[in-house]
Amino acid sequence: MAAEAELKMSHDVVVPSGHAKKRIGDHDAATTATFDPSAPPPFTISEIRAAIPSHCWFKNPWRSLAYVLRDVFLVLSLLALALHFDSWFFWPLYWPLQGTMFWALFVLGHDCGHGSFSNNRKLNNFVGHILHSAILVPYHGWRISHKTHHQNHGHVENDESWVPMTEKLYKSQSRKTRILRFTVPFPILAFPIYLWRRSPGKEGSHFNPNSKLFSPRDRKDVTTSTLCWLAMASLILYLIFTMGPTQVLKLYGVPYAIFVMWLDAVTYLHHHGYKQKLPWYRGKEWSYLRGGLTTVDRDYGWINNIHHDIGTHVIHHLFPQIPHYHLIEATKAARPVLGRYYREPEKSGPVPVHLIQNLIDSLRQDHYVSDSGDIVFYQTDLDLHEHSRTKSQ
């Protein structure tokens, strides 16, 4: 009864009575007009896996390295053009293009961390360190916390990325903190802070090998990644003294900020902002499958190929070992099994401007979840919602 009462507090969701304890027995029940995304799915993760062609699991290191060479070539070409033109006519073109390419490098490093880049761990770690250190991301520190996110996605307490605040934690934050956390652009500039301090209510740092994020066996890896990060930071500091802070800001600083915006916006939208509110779980209601099914695919238009189809996110979350170049095919094969648990992404134009409104709307409405209940949905702080609505007018 507590779970059912909690569900009735959520917004914009039709909840069948008594669903929290009742398993849907067939696909017809999952395709009713009042589809409940929190109901236990009528399929298993093994059934999804069986629907995916076997070749989708094959990792081709040469193909993966070809994507790295492509992206590095584009990054260096843009850098050469910027140094050649060095004019305010070119900078506004350079910044979003280079920032997007930084984001593409991050996605490939992310694949290294998952082991979907190749079956060779040494190759994965070597390439991952180069790609992530170049954009000031501690490879192993982030890899380990991201693995925690995948293993616990959708769990209120145990998830790691964009974890919802409970009502008690939310109300303990100052009004200024709440406004900053839920008002664009501040949330999409949060990644560097997250690396240093994690999310509200969680302790630790991605740079500290003794952090609560890591086990004792991780300490050597985390130390290595932190040293690589420091080497890159030292290089940037050296360039500031030799080239001048303004030039480094234009060549690296602004693209880095745009990369951070990409990372925060994309990771947020893969787990929030769908037109129907999606559940978060606790206790025995949580499972790896149910948590993974609350992720959302997104269409980024022509940028899909540039950032390696990271918008094909549901299958990636369930099976992170699948290489990015097989995700589209794997998703198409799995969709008949997933049924309405798969949410078709809204089609994008050449530039995914439609996602901006999804992001803003979610930040206005998705503020906290209840302190209790095994199935909960985001609730809205009406005072903060009114503040953001008034500010936008």
Side-chain angles (χ1 to χ4, degrees):
M1 291 300 293
E4 184 176 347
E6 189 62 41
L7 288 168
K8 290 179 179 178
M9 293 174 65
S10 65
H11 303 284
D12 306 323
V13 180
V14 179
V15 182
S17 176
H19 82 283
K21 302 298 181 182
K22 182 179 180 180
R23 177 178 176 83
I24 297 177
D26 52 49
H27 287 276
D28 290 337
T31 54
T32 61
T34 56
F35 173 68
D36 173 18
S38 70
F43 49 80
T44 66
I45 196 165
S46 296
E47 290 174 310
I48 306 172
R49 182 189 294 272
I52 298 173
S54 59
H55 67 266
C56 289
W57 303 89
F58 178 71
K59 308 163 194 175
N60 185 334
W62 297 108
R63 185 172 182 179
S64 297
L65 285 169
Y67 282 109
V68 172
L69 292 175
R70 182 197 77 174
D71 287 0
V72 170
F73 173 78
L74 289 173
V75 167
L76 295 178
S77 297
L78 287 168
L79 181 62
L81 288 171
L83 290 169
H84 174 74
F85 289 109
D86 195 13
S87 69
W88 289 105
F89 174 80
F90 186 73
W91 291 118
L93 177 64
Y94 169 79
W95 289 329
L97 291 177
Q98 190 70 296
T100 301
M101 290 313 305
F102 280 15
W103 166 234
L105 294 180
F106 176 88
V107 175
L108 291 178
H110 151 274
D111 289 356
C112 291
H114 278 302
S116 60
F117 189 86
S118 78
N119 286 321
N120 188 316
R121 183 177 179 182
K122 290 184 178 179
L123 176 63
N124 294 339
N125 290 344
F126 177 75
V127 175
H129 270 108
I130 292 175
L131 296 178
H132 274 192
S133 299
I135 50 177
L136 292 176
V137 177
Y139 171 70
H140 279 307
W142 186 85
R143 173 188 66 81
I144 294 166
S145 75
H146 187 63
K147 181 180 179 180
T148 300
H149 163 60
H150 268 259
Q151 291 177 334
N152 297 278
H153 179 261
H155 194 290
V156 175
E157 282 79 27
N158 298 340
D159 201 349
E160 177 61 31
S161 178
W162 291 111
V163 183
M165 285 191 282
T166 62
E167 184 173 6
K168 181 179 179 180
L169 177 61
Y170 177 83
K171 291 184 176 179
S172 72
Q173 309 294 309
S174 68
R175 178 173 170 79
K176 181 180 179 181
T177 299
R178 296 181 206 174
I179 292 173
L180 288 176
R181 183 172 174 81
F182 295 100
T183 304
V184 174
F186 304 108
I188 58 173
L189 293 170
F191 183 63
I193 300 173
Y194 166 70
L195 290 178
W196 284 102
R197 300 180 57 184
R198 295 179 76 191
S199 303
K202 292 181 178 287
E203 298 179 0
S205 168
H206 289 76
F207 299 94
N208 182 359
N210 297 313
S211 168
K212 293 182 179 180
L213 268 167
F214 312 119
S215 67
R217 68 177 181 272
D218 297 324
R219 288 172 183 168
K220 183 178 178 180
D221 285 342
V222 174
T223 299
T224 300
S225 296
T226 299
L227 290 174
C228 289
W229 185 94
L230 287 171
M232 183 61 192
S234 298
L235 175 60
I236 294 171
L237 188 62
Y238 170 78
L239 293 174
I240 289 173
F241 282 107
T242 56
M243 300 177 66
T246 301
Q247 191 72 344
V248 173
L249 178 67
K250 291 187 294 184
L251 289 171
Y252 187 89
V254 177
Y256 173 78
I258 292 173
F259 146 65
V260 168
M261 292 180 188
W262 265 117
L263 188 153
D264 281 328
V266 168
T267 55
Y268 183 90
L269 287 168
H270 285 161
H271 306 97
H272 303 79
Y274 186 64
K275 59 186 177 183
Q276 181 185 21
K277 285 189 180 292
L278 300 177
W280 287 80
Y281 301 101
R282 291 186 176 100
K284 63 182 180 181
E285 292 293 347
W286 181 88
S287 70
Y288 180 84
L289 175 59
R290 293 176 79 181
L293 291 176
T294 64
T295 58
V296 181
D297 279 10
R298 299 290 186 178
D299 182 16
Y300 297 92
W302 67 273
I303 302 171
N304 285 329
N305 180 263
I306 296 296
H307 69 191
H308 309 293
D309 294 309
I310 195 62
T312 315
H313 203 68
V314 177
I315 290 300
H316 164 69
H317 233 286
L318 293 173
F319 307 110
Q321 286 286 311
I322 295 179
H324 70 84
Y325 41 83
H326 290 318
L327 283 174
I328 292 177
E329 182 181 0
T331 298
K332 288 180 180 178
R335 280 172 60 184
V337 178
L338 296 174
R340 291 191 64 181
Y341 288 86
Y342 178 77
R343 289 160 280 276
E344 191 73 33
E346 181 182 352
K347 294 300 181 183
S348 173
V351 180
V353 292
H354 68 290
L355 294 177
I356 297 174
Q357 194 60 50
N358 291 150
L359 177 68
I360 293 173
D361 288 346
S362 179
L363 289 170
R364 286 176 178 170
Q365 299 175 31
D366 300 336
H367 297 148
Y368 61 87
V369 298
S370 176
D371 296 313
S372 61
D374 287 348
I375 303 177
V376 295
F377 293 80
Y378 268 110
Q379 298 183 47
T380 302
D381 178 346
L382 296 179
D383 179 60
L384 188 64
H385 176 78
E386 181 63 23
H387 169 84
S388 61
R389 188 185 67 83
T390 303
K391 185 177 179 180
S392 65
Q393 291 178 345

